[in-house]
């Protein structure tokens, strides 16, 4: 069975992290996000994959090539305009024959879930939708089942009829393509796969299958932290770098080639220390943290449940918790990131001028690339800082800070 991965989106909802990097290449648990999906497909027994690319698609091609390094054969298709999931799947018709797996490029799905989905397809002999159970189904496409068959689909209903939602993972046969061709545009101007599946249900049974394990939809920047923790959970630690005597590694910690951990450092896994990174001396790195290549965590610093991207420096007396720092950022000495409201309510962020409840009790800063922070600055919980911004000494950052801003 072949697979298609839909990874053409521009990732505007992930800004500022995607200002310079396409969403599929955002680093999560030490690897580009898309690589986790490709590895899961390979582990599920799939060897031929076609990837739909769009904005900065050349970078995705350059990153994965023909797939040889992953044990895959990878082909690519370019989507000039993003016109909905049905349109995206329709673009892939020349890359499949017979039944195929379709995976949205912004979901975390395990190889175990894919194996189970394929087994269910073989059992029922009919198209299958992967389903997830969530507490807030009104934000997704809600699915109703009867005896395992899909009998209802509704996009973002005000009053959901179930807690099962469309997980963005499917197994279709080639008869989906003629139905895609006749799918009308929805009120929001897109060709919706749920409309196509509705037409398919009129011709044959479509089954729903609750995917085992954790399912994560990475739609907003803070979703990366949940994905990072989930993908780090099965990590097996090993040391390929230089760990000085007097440094402590607890649990599963992966030290990549060329990384250096100085004495007095205390690192708790699951954590990845990227190639060429420098840790310590005398710092504390807590679980579910990914330190990127050539990044630095220095003296008297603490980093917890965070992603530090390539060449970012947290060098002197800093605290960074539940945060994502883009590439080549630098925190001045004494910079502190708040990650918890004093009332301990869920952290809210300002997104395009609208306050959004993240549902997270702890969330620090989402920082774009090339942000520079002066000494003794403070950053409020739920702050978003655009790329190439500058926070002066003693600055206090909060809310949504536009790219290339200057805060004093």
């Amino acid at each position: 069975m072949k697979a298609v991965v839909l990874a053409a989106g521009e990732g505007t909802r992930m800004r500022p992290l995607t200002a310079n990097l396409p969403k599929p290449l955002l680093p999560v648990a030490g690897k580009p996000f898309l690589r986790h999906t490709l590895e899961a497909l390979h582990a599920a027994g799939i060897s031929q994959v076609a990837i739909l690319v769009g904005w900065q698609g050349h970078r995705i091609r350059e990153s994965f090539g023909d797939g040889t390094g992953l044990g895959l054969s990878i082909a690519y298709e370019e989507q000039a305009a993003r016109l909905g999931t049905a349109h995206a799947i329709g673009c892939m018709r020349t890359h499949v024959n017979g039944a195929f797996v379709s995976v949205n490029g912004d979901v975390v799905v395990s190889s175990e879930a894919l194996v189970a989905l394929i087994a269910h397809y073989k059992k029922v002999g009919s198209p299958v939708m992967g389903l997830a159970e969530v507490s807030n189904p009104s934000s997704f496409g809600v699915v109703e089942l009867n005896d395992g068959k899909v009998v209802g689909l509704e996009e973002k209903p005000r009053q959901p009829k179930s807690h099962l939602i469309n997980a963005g993972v499917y197994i279709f046969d080639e008869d989906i393509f003629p139905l895609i061709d006749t799918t009308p545009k929805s009120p929001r101007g897109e060709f919706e796969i749920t409309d196509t599946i509705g037409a398919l249900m009129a011709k044959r049974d479509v089954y729903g299958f609750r995917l085992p394990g954790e399912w994560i939809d990475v739609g907003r920047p803070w979703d990366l932290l949940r994905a990072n923790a989930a993908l780090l959970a099965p990590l097996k630690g090993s040391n390929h770098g230089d760990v000085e005597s007097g440094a402590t590694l607890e649990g599963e910690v992966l030290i990549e080639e060329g990384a250096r951990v100085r004495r007095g450092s205390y690192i708790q896994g699951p954590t990845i220390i990227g190639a060429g990174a420098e840790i310590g001396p005398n710092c504390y790195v807590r679980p579910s943290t990914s330190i990127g290549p050539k990044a630095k965590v220095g003296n008297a610093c603490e980093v917890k449940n965070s992603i530090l991207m390539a060449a970012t420096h947290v060098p002197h007396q800093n605290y960074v918790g539940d945060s994502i720092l883009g590439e080549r950022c630098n925190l001045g000495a004494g910079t502190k990131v708040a990650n918890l409201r004093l009332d301990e309510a869920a952290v809210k962020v300002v997104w395009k001028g609208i306050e959004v409840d993240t549902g997270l009790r702890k969330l620090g800063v989402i920082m774009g690339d090339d942000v520079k922070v002066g000494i003794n600055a403070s950053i409020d919980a739920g702050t978003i800082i655009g790329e190439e911004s500058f926070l002066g000494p003693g600055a206090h950052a909060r809310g949504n800070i536009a790219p290339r801003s200057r805060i004093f």
Side-chain angles (χ1 to χ4, degrees):
M1 187 178 292
K2 297 181 179 180
V4 301
V5 180
L6 311 180
E10 190 172 337
T12 55
R13 293 196 305 161
M14 297 296 291
R15 296 288 170 85
L17 302 177
T18 52
N20 302 311
L21 193 67
K23 180 178 176 179
L25 296 185
L26 288 174
V28 183
K31 302 173 186 177
F33 185 80
L34 180 55
R35 181 171 180 133
H36 291 283
T37 301
L38 296 175
E39 289 179 348
L41 288 166
H42 179 262
I46 293 172
S47 60
Q48 293 181 281
V49 179
I51 303 175
L52 184 68
V53 297
W55 181 71
Q56 293 202 6
H58 66 283
R59 298 186 63 177
I60 297 174
R61 293 174 188 261
E62 291 166 1
S63 181
F64 300 108
D66 64 3
T68 301
L70 294 169
L72 296 170
S73 173
I74 298 180
Y76 298 89
E77 186 71 33
E78 192 91 18
Q79 186 185 33
R82 265 60 76 192
L83 298 174
T85 303
H87 178 264
I89 294 173
C91 291
M92 309 304 284
R93 69 188 72 206
T94 61
H95 297 281
V96 299
N97 49 11
F100 64 97
V101 177
S102 176
V103 182
N104 289 358
D106 54 3
V107 300
V108 175
V109 60
S110 68
S111 59
E112 293 79 10
L114 291 169
V115 167
L117 185 75
I118 293 169
H120 193 69
Y121 168 80
K122 291 178 179 178
K123 176 183 176 182
V124 300
S126 204
V128 180
M129 292 182 65
L131 308 178
E133 189 168 353
V134 298
S135 58
N136 58 333
S138 59
S139 300
F140 301 93
V142 175
V143 179
E144 292 180 80
L145 295 182
N146 183 12
D147 195 26
K149 300 174 186 176
V150 179
V151 295
L153 287 169
E154 191 174 5
E155 281 294 329
K156 300 179 180 178
R158 292 185 178 180
Q159 296 182 323
K161 296 179 180 178
S162 86
H163 286 271
L164 293 173
I165 58 114
N166 178 359
V169 185
Y170 317 89
I171 298 181
F172 291 123
D173 297 310
E174 286 182 282
D175 62 356
I176 196 69
F177 296 119
L179 296 175
I180 287 173
D181 293 338
T182 58
T183 298
K185 277 189 177 181
S186 69
R188 63 176 184 167
E190 294 188 353
F191 299 99
E192 312 281 1
I193 192 61
T194 49
D195 291 340
T196 307
I197 293 172
L200 183 63
M201 289 162 54
K203 294 180 174 291
R204 60 188 301 194
D205 291 334
V206 176
Y207 286 80
F209 178 73
R210 170 68 167 87
L211 298 175
E214 189 168 16
W215 171 87
I216 302 170
D217 173 42
V218 182
R220 298 290 179 90
W222 49 90
D223 294 328
L224 279 182
L225 292 175
R226 184 179 166 204
N228 187 62
L231 292 168
L232 280 175
L235 180 72
K236 299 300 181 184
S238 59
N239 177 22
H240 304 281
D242 176 18
V243 179
E244 295 180 354
S245 61
T248 300
L249 307 182
E250 180 185 295
E252 303 296 337
V253 180
L254 174 60
I255 311 292
E256 296 189 336
E257 187 175 351
R260 184 179 185 185
V261 180
R262 295 172 179 254
R263 60 180 50 87
S265 301
Y266 194 102
I267 305 176
Q268 294 177 304
T271 285
I272 291 178
I273 309 299
E278 184 176 341
I279 308 299
N282 306 316
C283 65
Y284 185 19
V285 180
R286 294 168 62 184
S288 300
T289 293
S290 294
I291 308 294
K294 298 183 179 180
K296 181 176 181 178
V297 177
N299 180 59
C301 293
E302 180 176 342
V303 179
K304 170 244 181 186
N305 187 42
S306 294
I307 300 172
L308 273 56
M309 297 189 190
T312 280
H313 289 184
V314 178
H316 310 292
Q317 300 174 322
N318 307 130
Y319 176 77
V320 177
D322 305 279
S323 298
I324 304 171
L325 277 59
E327 296 183 351
R328 300 174 301 277
C329 296
N330 187 79
L331 303 188
T335 297
K336 302 295 189 293
V337 176
N339 62 333
L340 177 68
R341 288 170 48 133
L342 286 175
D343 61 5
E344 299 193 15
V347 176
K348 298 179 180 179
V349 303
V350 178
W351 187 261
K352 295 184 178 180
I354 300 173
E355 192 173 64
V356 177
D357 188 342
T358 66
L360 299 174
R361 181 171 170 267
K362 291 187 177 182
L363 176 64
V365 64
I366 308 295
M367 184 178 289
D369 297 341
D370 300 295
V371 173
K372 308 301 179 188
V373 181
I375 64 169
N376 296 324
S378 61
I379 302 173
D380 275 3
T383 297
I384 298 177
I385 303 177
E387 66 276 9
E388 299 179 36
S389 291
F390 176 80
L391 275 64
H396 178 200
R398 62 184 302 176
N400 193 329
I401 298 173
R404 291 168 287 280
S405 294
R406 299 292 183 264
I407 307 296
F408 293 96

